Amino acid sequence: MKNKVALVTGSTSGIGLAIAKSLAEKGCRVMLNGSREASKVESLLTELNRDHDVAYQRANMMDPEAILRMVKACEATFGKIDILVNNAGIQHVAPIEEFPLEKWDAIIAINLSAAFHTIRAALPGMKEKKWGRIVNIASIHGMIASPFKAAYVSAKHGMVGLTRVVALETAKAGITCNVICPGYVMTPLVENQIADQAKAHGIDRKAVYEMFLKDQPTGRFVDPSEIADLVTFLSSDAAASITGTILPVDGGWTAK
Ligand code: NAD
């Protein structure tokens, strides 16, 4: 995958960072993204640039204009975008009648609309080269529902629909678009949920771990590297005929 350029949204931690590292290890030049100012990720960039070629573009995935600037900055820095990974995401858990309106808007914007904006902006360049890979990171909640996750479940189901449309629209253009649906992966997003649940229910973290893992037949959290390896495969030439697919990486959750 030498000479390929990847843009990975929400890639300063968790799954996104694992994806960025995996693609960089395969020889891609990678544009990282996050909402934090560049000075906050300087040490991460220095560390990655020891062995790889990466840059960082700050852009809030709630802001369509910032998203467009990020895509243009990637094309200006590295000359093109071959691989686009829509990974940025947030979570909020509350019963629907109490769901804060601003949380609904933020989750729909970051977890769904941002992918529409990045794809819309990156596709012309991919079509010109007749080569492109788009990988969307949804969730098992793009396939099934859980209570109290109205915005997250809606956005992730939307991501699955968006993926299918893009796959059909690009099928003859040398571009693929797929969506990965992880079960629980141990990242800061899940660590925060575990801490919140432990506090809310007055129980210890181990009990919350067990609560989370009861749905995942393997009985363990998915490792971020497992998602990253799949993204890297989907981004390779070997995956040219895999498009429009929904790929659960959920330890057997949806087999039940
Ligand atoms: P994380 O909190 O470690 O990472 C989320 C990333 O999104 C961070 O890099 C953060 O900076 C970025 N981000 C958040 N808001 C942003 C904004 N407004 N603008 C730009 N970047 C923003 O969480 P994670 O677990 O690595 O999640 C990554 C993706 O995987 C998310 O889309 C999440 O829904 C999905 N996912 C996670 C799990 C899990 O169990 N961890 C399961 C299924 C799906």
Side-chain angles (χ1 to χ4, degrees), residues 7 13 74 85 103 108 215 231 246:
L7 168 61
S13 75
C74 184
V85 184
K103 290 286 183 196
I108 298 297
D215 290 320
V231 172
I246 300 147

Side-chain angles (χ1 to χ4, degrees), residues 8-22 32-33 36 44 87-89 137 182 185-191 222-229:
V8 186
T9 71
S11 45
T12 56
S13 75
I15 296 169
L17 179 57
I19 293 168
K21 281 181 176 167
S22 174
L32 300 168
N33 153 259
R36 287 185 295 167
L44 175 66
N87 166 79
I137 307 300
V185 186
M186 190 43 85
T187 66
L189 183 140
V190 163
E191 279 168 25
V222 177
D223 191 83
S225 67
E226 297 176 77
I227 309 295
D229 287 347

Side-chain angles (χ1 to χ4, degrees), residues 6 25 37-38 45 56 74 93 122 127 152 160 165 173 191 217 222 228-229 237 241 246 254:
E25 273 156 20
E37 56 199 78
L45 285 189
Y56 174 77
C74 184
V93 179
K127 283 187 172 165
Y152 192 82
V160 169
V165 172
E191 279 168 25
V222 177
D229 287 347
D237 282 326
S241 296
I246 300 147
T254 46

Side-chain angles (χ1 to χ4, degrees), residues 8-230:
V8 186
T9 71
S11 45
T12 56
S13 75
I15 296 169
L17 179 57
I19 293 168
K21 281 181 176 167
S22 174
L23 290 169
E25 273 156 20
K26 291 280 182 236
C28 294
R29 287 171 289 161
V30 182
M31 178 63 80
L32 300 168
N33 153 259
S35 52
R36 287 185 295 167
E37 56 199 78
S39 61
K40 296 262 165 54
V41 295
E42 228 171 71
S43 60
L44 175 66
L45 285 189
T46 307
E47 185 201 318
L48 290 175
N49 272 321
R50 253 177 234 133
D51 298 314
H52 310 302
D53 192 358
V54 308
Y56 174 77
Q57 184 66 32
R58 180 188 191 188
N60 183 346
M61 292 299 105
M62 287 183 70
D63 177 354
E65 280 172 21
I67 294 172
L68 196 56
R69 281 198 297 276
M70 171 188 70
V71 169
K72 289 201 180 312
C74 184
E75 289 171 337
T77 306
F78 292 129
K80 57 180 181 169
I81 298 172
D82 298 298
I83 300 161
L84 168 66
V85 184
N86 288 303
N87 166 79
I90 58 167
Q91 172 63 291
H92 185 80
V93 179
I96 199 153
E97 322 86 281
E98 291 162 26
F99 212 95
L101 296 184
E102 69 279 8
K103 290 286 183 196
W104 169 273
D105 288 343
I107 290 175
I108 298 297
I110 297 167
N111 295 21
L112 175 59
S113 302
F116 164 75
H117 293 298
T118 57
I119 292 168
R120 189 170 181 272
L123 266 184
M126 289 182 178
K127 283 187 172 165
E128 213 169 282
K129 294 182 278 101
K130 298 189 171 53
W131 201 97
R133 295 286 183 268
I134 301 167
V135 185
N136 295 324
I137 307 300
S139 159
I140 208 58
H141 286 108
M143 301 171 75
I144 54 157
S146 291
F148 314 126
K149 295 186 176 176
Y152 192 82
V153 168
S154 302
K156 296 299 190 180
H157 273 68
M159 189 76 126
V160 169
L162 175 66
T163 301
R164 287 174 157 153
V165 172
V166 174
L168 293 178
E169 288 189 18
T170 58
K172 290 199 167 63
I175 298 164
T176 68
C177 182
N178 294 286
V179 61
I180 297 178
C181 293
Y184 282 120
V185 186
M186 190 43 85
T187 66
L189 183 140
V190 163
E191 279 168 25
N192 291 340
Q193 278 188 60
I194 288 173
D196 289 349
Q197 292 287 320
K199 205 167 140 197
H201 298 290
I203 51 177
D204 69 13
R205 279 165 170 257
K206 192 165 172 291
V208 183
Y209 270 51
E210 280 159 16
M211 220 164 77
F212 272 50
L213 291 176
K214 75 176 181 348
D215 290 320
Q216 214 149 278
T218 48
R220 65 169 183 84
F221 287 94
V222 177
D223 191 83
S225 67
E226 297 176 77
I227 309 295
D229 287 347
L230 182 53

